[in-house]
Amino acid sequence: MLVHPQIDPVAISVGPLSIHWYGLMYLLGFALFILLGRYRIKHNPHSAFTYEMLDDALFYGMLGVILGGRLGHVLFYQFGYYLDHPLHIFAIWEGGMSFHGGFLGVFVAMVLLARKHKLSWLTVTDFVIPLIPLGLAAGRIGNFINGELWGRHTDVPWGMVFPYVDEFPRHPSQLYQFALEGVLLFIVIWIYSSKPRATGAVTGMFMIGYGVLRSFAEFFREPEDGFMGILTLGITMGQWLSIPMILAGIAALMWSRRQSPHVAQNNQRKNKKR
């Protein structure tokens, strides 16, 4: 049996200034986004993306992740709590970000970016999506350090006690999600996107992959108390939100089959010359 290390959520404190591990994990995710994006641009001469567009994507994406992720958490998971404590909505350093809300926020941000650079939004998302999973992995490490989103009771040898919750061993579900939605999904999407794909295929594969892996991880994660819990048909909110994501991913893949990878590359070349 393991015990959660109860790491101080504040990484650095200088006088009144405090830097939280959760915030540092977001910065790490953004840094990985830039590094991986530059690698893809350098090694793919047919990409419609330029370094300038990558910088724009980071800026737009940061706004989408933070605003959408926080709003999604407030609306989907703890609406009653934040209705009573509205000022806590802005305390993002305490944790509490919804992936599904963040995904919608990034989706809107990428639509705006696509309009700015006169590209189809699926062309933009196909490039951006392989850069995302390692950022998700960093976020799950932040969840683990904060000691939030713990798992359900278990008797497996690696069960972990979270002393501030109770004395029963639980699944370290944050680490499960780190491995599944972060590392595994990154490997799959990165390899899949390394070959020419029809427009929308990478986006569809990501939505299906994340939705399936998140739904699986939810079986080990303790549903949040209060406003949330086990919902209709014994399904959690995370699973309910993943269903339309999986369906949208299937639709994107079906649509992409009508596209030719070579036609998509030719379009990217034309767009890059503009």
Side-chain angles (χ1 to χ4, degrees), residues 67-237:
L67 297 179
R70 190 58 170 177
L71 184 61
H73 178 76
V74 171
L75 295 178
F76 299 152
Y77 290 95
Q78 290 185 307
F79 181 74
Y81 171 81
Y82 288 107
L83 189 64
D84 294 333
H85 306 84
L87 293 180
H88 287 196
I89 293 175
F90 305 100
I92 59 175
W93 57 87
E94 295 178 354
M97 300 287 280
S98 162
F99 166 81
H100 296 93
F103 182 79
L104 291 176
V106 170
F107 172 82
V108 173
M110 293 304 103
V111 169
L112 297 176
L113 180 67
R115 288 183 178 179
K116 177 180 178 180
H117 293 281
K118 298 179 180 180
L119 295 171
S120 72
W121 67 268
L122 281 174
T123 297
V124 173
T125 56
D126 280 349
F127 179 88
V128 167
I129 272 175
L131 317 179
I132 292 176
L134 288 186
L136 299 179
R140 293 309 179 191
I141 293 298
N143 293 145
F144 181 75
I145 292 174
N146 276 3
E148 60 189 2
L149 307 183
W150 51 80
R152 304 185 189 193
H153 292 160
T154 182
D155 57 0
V156 297
W158 58 88
M160 180 172 290
V161 173
F162 293 81
Y164 41 83
V165 181
D166 55 32
E167 299 180 354
F168 301 101
R170 295 173 174 271
H171 286 287
S173 55
Q174 311 98 323
L175 301 183
Y176 295 176
Q177 293 186 264
F178 160 80
L180 294 174
E181 305 162 13
V183 178
L184 177 60
L185 188 60
F186 168 74
I187 294 172
V188 171
I189 298 300
W190 188 266
I191 293 175
Y192 182 77
S193 64
S194 64
K195 297 180 180 180
R197 302 290 180 183
T199 302
V202 175
T203 299
M205 184 63 70
F206 172 84
M207 289 193 289
I208 295 171
Y210 180 87
V212 170
L213 293 173
R214 173 61 182 271
S215 296
F216 176 73
E218 285 284 322
F219 288 112
F220 304 96
R221 175 172 157 176
E222 183 74 25
E224 297 188 40
D225 294 330
F227 176 65
M228 287 295 97
I230 301 295
L231 304 179
T232 306
L233 303 178
I235 298 177
T236 67
M237 176 59 82

Side-chain angles (χ1 to χ4, degrees), residues 198-199 258-270:
T199 302
R258 302 178 182 178
Q259 313 300 309
S260 166
H262 302 291
V263 171
Q265 282 194 355
N266 290 335
N267 289 337
Q268 288 183 343
R269 293 192 192 102
K270 292 177 183 179

